[in-house]
């Protein structure tokens, strides 16, 4: 199988932003006088929009107004920490360049808001490779609902076979999203969820390196 359209998750898949999320989350919780979630819990929740994730990280009792303040604090701290703590994973820039040279259509579907996603992509120098960015504020339902896939394909004007589309992500929610949308899925093991959890989600492919991911995306690879 060769893929025409590739939908990438951002955090934990293209970019190593775990430390940025940890620092910003802990600072935001402290600003609201809440116990800071531990790093492992924060990383595990990455890929879920903060509008949902922060409730399960210890903010369930906050009023709507206090919760909105918590989210605003996080976004402010995240912006402050981005320059020092968000990096592309090694090999990702070269991978995207190779895919574009092979005339692949590339999109990012993320739990970040679109403006932040575009800003991060531009700062990391990958915006020129990406045809469409879909953030959490552009969908009605968050991952693992298939809304992000549908919005991305509509933005690309794609109405072809779903078998030519694949989504790539580091969390089980990315895999479940792709499955719900009826497209192929590839899990990568260098992000939020470990290989065992990803295998349990039954992706079509599992990549443990950027080289393996490139082989899957260009040559179809070998199913897990």
């Amino acid at each position: 199988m060769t893929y025409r359209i590739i939908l990438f998750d951002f955090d934990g898949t293209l970019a190593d932003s775990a430390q940025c999320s940890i620092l910003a989350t802990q600072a935001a919780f402290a600003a609201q006088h809440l116990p800071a979630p531990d790093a492992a819990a924060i990383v595990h929740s990455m890929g879920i929009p903060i509008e949902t994730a922060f409730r399960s990280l210890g903010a369930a009792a906050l009023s709507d107004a206090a919760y909105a303040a918590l989210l605003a604090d996080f976004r402010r701290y995240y912006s402050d920490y981005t320059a020092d703590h968000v990096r592309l994973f090694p090999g990702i820039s070269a991978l995207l360049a190779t895919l574009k040279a092979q005339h692949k259509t590339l999109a990012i579907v993320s739990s970040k808001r679109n403006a932040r996603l575009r800003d991060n992509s531009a700062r990391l120098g990958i915006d020129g490779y990406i045809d469409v960015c879909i953030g959490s504020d552009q969908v009605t339902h968050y991952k693992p609902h298939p809304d992000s896939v549908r919005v991305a394909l509509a933005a690309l004007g794609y109405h072809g076979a779903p078998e030519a589309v694949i989504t790539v992500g580091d969390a089980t929610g990315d895999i479940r999203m792709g499955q719900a949308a009826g497209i192929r899925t590839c899990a990568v093991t260098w992000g939020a969820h470990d290989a065992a959890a990803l295998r349990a989600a039954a992706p079509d492919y599992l990549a443990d390196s950027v080289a393996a991911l490139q082989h899957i995306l260009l040559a179809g690879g070998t199913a897990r």
Side-chain angles (χ1 to χ4, degrees), residues 6-74:
I6 302 164
L7 311 178
F8 288 99
D9 174 55
F10 185 79
D11 296 291
T13 301
L14 299 178
D16 182 357
S17 56
Q19 189 64 17
C20 190
S21 291
I22 291 166
L23 293 172
T25 300
Q26 292 178 338
F29 272 66
Q32 292 298 318
H33 309 290
L34 294 169
D38 66 49
I42 294 168
V43 171
H44 191 77
S45 73
M46 289 176 65
I48 303 170
I50 58 172
E51 291 85 351
T52 301
F54 279 6
R55 292 288 186 191
S56 64
L57 288 174
L62 290 184
S63 67
D64 288 347
Y67 197 73
L70 175 68
L71 300 182
D73 284 340
F74 170 83

Side-chain angles (χ1 to χ4, degrees), residues 1-2 55 83 133 156 199 220:
M1 171 63 66
T2 56
R55 292 288 186 191
C133 286
L156 292 167
R199 285 193 189 94

Side-chain angles (χ1 to χ4, degrees), residues 67-224:
Y67 197 73
L70 175 68
L71 300 182
D73 284 340
F74 170 83
R75 293 186 178 109
R76 175 168 53 86
Y77 286 120
Y78 193 98
S79 180
D80 290 344
Y81 296 139
T82 292
D84 292 331
H85 297 289
V86 178
R87 298 283 186 271
L88 290 178
F89 285 107
I92 289 296
S93 183
L95 169 67
L96 298 179
T98 298
L99 294 173
K100 289 307 292 184
Q102 294 295 318
H103 309 293
K104 305 298 183 182
T105 298
L106 308 182
I108 299 177
V109 291
S110 174
S111 294
K112 274 183 162 67
R113 288 186 171 188
N114 185 264
R116 175 66 60 194
L117 179 60
R118 288 181 177 278
D119 177 75
N120 284 184
S121 298
R123 193 186 63 79
L124 294 173
I126 62 171
D127 52 325
Y129 302 127
I130 305 301
D131 297 285
V132 164
C133 286
I134 302 299
S136 62
D137 53 330
Q138 295 174 276
V139 300
T140 303
H141 304 288
Y142 301 139
K143 299 177 185 182
H145 192 279
D147 227 9
S148 294
V149 173
R150 293 170 181 166
V151 171
L153 295 181
L156 292 167
Y158 182 74
H159 304 288
E163 293 82 6
V165 183
I166 187 168
T167 190
V168 180
D170 66 304
T172 57
D174 298 310
I175 304 311
R176 290 161 55 203
M177 174 191 70
Q179 291 166 339
I183 63 174
R184 302 298 172 92
T185 60
C186 180
V188 299
T189 61
W190 51 80
H193 293 173
D194 63 26
L198 293 168
R199 285 193 189 94
D204 293 294
Y205 307 99
L206 186 71
D208 60 6
S209 69
V210 173
L213 177 60
Q214 179 170 309
H215 180 67
I216 290 164
L217 297 179
L218 291 180
T222 303
R224 67 180 193 93

